[in-house]
Amino acid sequence: MSTSIPKKLRIGYVPEHFSSPLLQLIKSDHDFASTIELIPNPSGTGQMIKSFQDCQIDVAIALTESLIAGIILGPTSRAHRLGISRLGSGSQVMASVMALQRGWLEDGAKPIEFVVNDTFKNLRDSVNDGSTAAFMWEWFTTKPFQDSGEVKFIGNVPTPWESWVIVASPQERNPEVLAPARLKEFLEKLDHFTHRFGIGKGVREADHVEFVKNTFHQAEEDVKEWMKGVSYPEKCSQVSLETVKETIK
């Protein structure tokens, strides 16, 4: 007697070092991996939000500020064009956060001009050909290109909240795939692998350093430095009320 193959849970993610526990889960648990489909969104959260809205993914692991706060439109530089990957992306929202933090959102201020460049490579090219003045991107992903001299580091704007959250589509979109039990299983397995990777800040065990280095082509010293500043939640299913308040205020 044949049985139908269950539909896969489509998970959108950004293929950067933050996603290491997710990738380790898929690599290690072959039975579970056969029930899901990882869909990379290399252009970042803006691309993922569009995929989410178009029902191309069921779950998104994306930037907190874009998923909770949406786009905060406003000037981030009074004189320059800023490159972004997509509308609603972290590169756009964090530029707006910078404007809020620096008090640039005054009445009558000239709106910022955002230039959509889609990919990280196009963003790098844009500052070199003069079509944009600057762009915002995650530091350790950018560092190899700063080291090579392709781009120049001029400053940083740390997120004032946890950087990443996980959201799922309403169950009515796909009752079988988005059943609470399916989502609970995914989150519990991801919890296991984030704890295995190490949820606290600090250099992880050598095999995890090697995984990040080889998967994302990072220098070992950069991987270790990144690990010193990154932590993961105790439970991936929980988002603190403080995070929500800080993001939307």
Side-chain angles (χ1 to χ4, degrees):
M1 180 177 177
S2 62
T3 58
S4 60
I5 299 174
K7 295 179 180 178
K8 293 186 176 183
L9 181 68
R10 301 167 301 169
I11 301 172
Y13 76 106
V14 179
E16 293 180 358
H17 36 301
F18 298 99
S19 300
S20 292
L22 173 67
L23 299 179
Q24 290 176 330
L25 163 60
I26 301 308
K27 184 178 180 180
S28 301
D29 192 332
H30 299 293
D31 289 339
F32 181 69
S34 68
T35 69
I36 69 174
E37 179 182 0
L38 287 188
I39 300 178
N41 286 251
S43 293
T45 299
Q47 179 186 7
M48 203 177 315
I49 290 174
K50 182 69 164 55
S51 298
F52 198 67
Q53 293 170 338
D54 292 344
C55 300
Q56 295 174 351
I57 58 175
D58 304 304
V59 172
I61 303 176
L63 290 173
T64 303
E65 63 269 18
S66 294
L67 291 177
I68 295 181
I71 305 169
I72 306 171
L73 293 177
T76 60
S77 168
R78 293 178 175 141
H80 298 303
R81 308 171 82 205
L82 290 186
I84 61 173
S85 57
R86 298 283 185 102
L87 294 175
S89 66
S91 53
Q92 182 184 29
V93 175
M94 285 309 299
S96 299
V97 168
M98 178 177 67
L100 287 167
Q101 291 176 341
R102 299 189 179 189
W104 292 352
L105 299 182
E106 301 171 355
D107 291 341
K110 181 181 178 181
I112 185 67
E113 182 178 0
F114 290 117
V115 180
V116 177
N117 283 307
D118 189 36
T119 67
F120 182 35
K121 182 181 186 306
N122 289 346
L123 285 167
R124 302 195 308 271
D125 290 343
S126 73
V127 293
N128 286 310
D129 65 23
S131 58
T132 66
F135 67 88
M136 287 186 161
W137 210 254
E138 196 277 327
W139 166 237
F140 285 99
T141 305
T142 310
K143 189 174 182 297
F145 303 96
Q146 190 263 352
D147 291 343
S148 70
E150 182 176 342
V151 296
K152 181 172 66 175
F153 176 73
I154 59 175
N156 70 316
V157 182
T159 55
W161 45 69
E162 292 94 336
S163 294
W164 298 85
V165 294
I166 302 173
V167 298
S169 298
Q171 187 179 359
E172 55 264 27
R173 281 191 178 181
N174 193 329
E176 179 185 349
V177 169
L178 291 164
R182 289 283 297 273
L183 296 176
K184 183 173 182 288
E185 180 187 21
F186 164 61
L187 291 169
E188 287 179 346
K189 286 182 176 292
L190 187 57
D191 281 341
H192 173 75
F193 276 85
T194 55
H195 280 262
R196 181 172 173 267
F197 186 81
I199 63 173
K201 294 179 181 179
V203 177
R204 272 62 168 189
E205 294 180 1
D207 59 331
H208 298 308
V209 174
E210 284 296 307
F211 180 87
V212 178
K213 183 180 76 171
N214 295 332
T215 302
F216 300 103
H217 311 293
Q218 297 274 332
E220 183 170 329
E221 59 269 24
D222 289 343
V223 173
K224 291 180 177 179
E225 194 62 30
W226 167 71
M227 287 179 166
K228 292 176 184 177
V230 69
S231 61
Y232 290 84
E234 184 75 26
K235 287 186 173 295
C236 294
S237 59
Q238 297 177 353
V239 180
S240 69
L241 180 60
E242 291 74 19
T243 293
V244 177
K245 288 180 176 178
E246 183 66 26
T247 306
I248 64 177
K249 75 177 183 180

